[in-house]
Amino acid sequence: MKIKDGFAKRNIAGEEIVVPVGKAVREFNGMITLNESGAFFWDCFCNDITIDDAVKMVTDEYEVDEETARKDILNFVKMLRDNNLIVE
């Protein structure tokens, strides 16, 4: 799964913000503010990866157990799905 094209993550005044660009502006009206882990998850899903790939990336980067990483990633993926931001 991968985040759809047409979204840009930018650091604005110390905040990680995702905004639609180009044609995506017609489909998504708004912006998303990400915390540090959300920004990391976003970067992971800019590539076509699996949940298991993302869990491995998170546990390699952060001091977190696999169960917690999986739970957090699944919540993040749910947000992406709810907002139609992911291609599976």
Side-chain angles (χ1 to χ4, degrees):
M1 66 185 61
K2 178 182 184 225
I3 293 172
K4 288 182 174 182
D5 291 335
F7 293 89
K9 180 177 69 93
R10 299 287 185 256
N11 186 297
I12 301 172
E15 297 285 330
E16 295 292 338
I17 308 291
V18 174
V19 295
V21 293
K23 294 178 183 179
V25 171
R26 288 182 267 167
E27 297 174 16
F28 186 86
N29 185 15
M31 66 180 182
I32 300 168
T33 303
L34 302 170
N35 61 19
E36 180 184 341
S37 56
F40 184 83
F41 297 165
W42 183 273
D43 292 342
C44 290
F45 285 101
C46 283
N47 300 299
D48 190 10
I49 64 170
T50 66
I51 297 292
D52 289 339
D53 294 335
V55 169
K56 174 85 170 97
M57 293 168 80
V58 170
T59 57
D60 286 351
E61 181 71 18
Y62 295 100
E63 291 183 21
V64 62
D65 61 88
E66 186 176 325
E67 181 181 344
T68 301
R70 185 172 301 279
K71 179 182 158 231
D72 291 347
I73 290 165
L74 290 173
N75 285 335
F76 186 77
V77 168
K78 181 182 181 326
M79 180 276 298
L80 294 175
R81 284 181 178 136
D82 289 350
N83 289 284
N84 196 28
L85 298 176
I86 200 158
V87 176
E88 297 191 60

